[in-house]
Amino acid sequence: MASESAGKVVPENTVAPANHFRQGAWRLVSYLGEAESLTLLSVIEQGEMTFTRVFRDNRRTLSARIETDTDGALMLKVPRARNGRRWERMLTFFRGSDAVRSFHQLEKMKAMGFAAPDPVLACEKRQSGVVVDAFLCYRFVDGRPAEAGDAGLVLDALRRLHRAGYLRTDAQRANFLMDGDQVVFIDFRLKRPRFFASLQKARELDRFIRSCPEAAVHLTDQERASLWLRLAHRLENLSFAIRESKRDIRRKKQQ
């Protein structure tokens, strides 16, 4: 099958090239036309959009569903902490912002045949060559949160991603939506493991099972007997213990 995008026929499981625009210090990567892209940038920069649901609003991240007059329901994500960290800014001398990289990761997921939100617009503002502000917009997915009964389907989708050579990172049940029987990946950060790939994939499986214990019954006999999964479970126990110890130290300092 094929679909039409911007007047071009696009084969299934491929992504049409995004448009690139500039507006002052802003660089835009977009699947909208130039006028629409610049209008959406202006709306967001001026704070003129309507928030219909705020999922997170803290010093680290703004994540909210917004409505605009022309583009319908969108998810707006502003990686505030990443935009503000000095070392992260320095890295953008050599690479795109977190928002632009997330835009391209959405494209990659679609191209590989996985269900993920459709990227719409990513914008980054540079000063002296480094990114000082950035945000991402993608189509709002009107799915339902994955439930315990969906554990087998989510596990299959996660395995498919691993076979494609990637980790999704943060494989919590809350980071998957269901659109009918289709598993939709949300809030992911693709990573291609360079070292100990089998161990890293096993750790991701262990994290998902921790967030969804019902998934354990869907493990294959080979996975249950895997030394990698056993080692991953121990490493995750250690990781959780270290994080809890750090939280205790912070709490004591605040008292």
Side-chain angles (χ1 to χ4, degrees):
M1 293 180 62
S3 60
E4 292 187 7
S5 178
K8 301 177 182 178
V9 176
V10 183
E12 189 176 12
N13 291 348
T14 66
V15 180
N19 300 309
H20 294 259
F21 309 112
R22 289 192 178 275
Q23 174 69 12
W26 288 96
R27 174 199 170 203
L28 294 74
V29 186
S30 176
Y31 279 99
L32 303 174
E34 183 172 8
E36 293 175 285
S37 299
L38 296 181
T39 296
L40 184 54
L41 167 62
S42 176
V43 165
I44 293 173
E45 191 176 21
Q46 301 300 321
E48 296 172 348
M49 60 285 188
T50 301
F51 289 83
T52 56
R53 182 177 177 186
V54 177
F55 295 90
R56 185 175 299 174
D57 185 4
N58 54 36
R59 64 180 182 84
R60 294 178 59 84
T61 306
L62 171 63
S63 177
R65 175 178 173 171
I66 65 172
E67 296 281 348
T68 67
D69 293 336
T70 58
D71 299 297
L74 300 175
M75 278 292 295
L76 169 65
K77 300 203 75 172
V78 183
R80 290 168 172 162
R82 289 180 176 272
N83 287 344
R85 291 190 191 116
R86 186 171 300 174
W87 65 270
E88 293 252 15
R89 287 186 172 186
M90 295 301 295
L91 287 175
T92 61
F93 265 121
F94 314 103
R95 69 183 190 185
S97 64
D98 180 77
V100 168
R101 286 183 289 122
S102 294
F103 182 98
H104 292 314
Q105 289 184 352
L106 288 171
E107 290 181 305
K108 183 181 288 291
M109 287 291 280
K110 305 289 283 187
M112 290 192 298
F114 292 92
D118 292 323
V120 173
L121 174 72
C123 299
E124 61 180 29
K125 178 189 283 186
R126 290 182 179 266
Q127 292 180 0
S128 302
V130 302
V131 173
V132 296
D133 197 5
F135 66 85
L136 168 69
C137 288
Y138 55 80
R139 297 289 175 198
F140 181 79
V141 178
D142 194 16
R144 63 173 177 82
E147 300 172 351
D150 303 309
L153 292 173
V154 176
L155 199 57
D156 283 343
L158 194 55
R159 290 189 189 106
R160 281 204 302 125
L161 186 65
H162 289 173
R163 288 196 295 271
Y166 290 93
L167 305 173
R168 64 141 294 148
T169 67
D170 198 18
Q172 304 289 324
R173 190 181 80 184
N175 289 333
F176 296 92
L177 295 179
M178 301 300 300
D179 183 8
D181 290 334
Q182 188 176 50
V183 178
V184 182
F185 287 72
I186 60 171
D187 290 337
F188 61 86
R189 188 178 301 278
L190 287 180
K191 177 183 177 182
R192 188 184 285 276
R194 296 182 180 180
F195 306 104
F196 301 106
S198 295
L199 177 58
Q200 292 192 59
K201 292 172 184 178
R203 291 189 72 173
E204 193 155 84
L205 286 180
D206 185 78
R207 289 173 194 147
F208 176 65
I209 294 169
R210 288 172 188 266
S211 71
C212 184
E214 295 81 4
V217 302
H218 297 282
L219 291 175
T220 65
D221 292 340
Q222 183 179 6
E223 287 169 336
R224 289 192 183 92
S226 169
L227 293 177
W228 288 119
L229 191 57
R230 295 179 190 178
L231 177 58
H233 185 72
R234 293 181 180 180
L235 289 174
E236 286 301 297
N237 283 341
L238 177 61
S239 178
F240 276 102
I242 291 173
R243 286 201 293 269
E244 188 58 35
S245 177
K246 289 181 178 179
R247 291 191 192 101
D248 288 340
I249 292 173
R250 285 197 295 268
R251 284 194 289 265
K252 289 178 181 178
K253 287 182 177 179
Q254 292 172 355
Q255 290 177 353

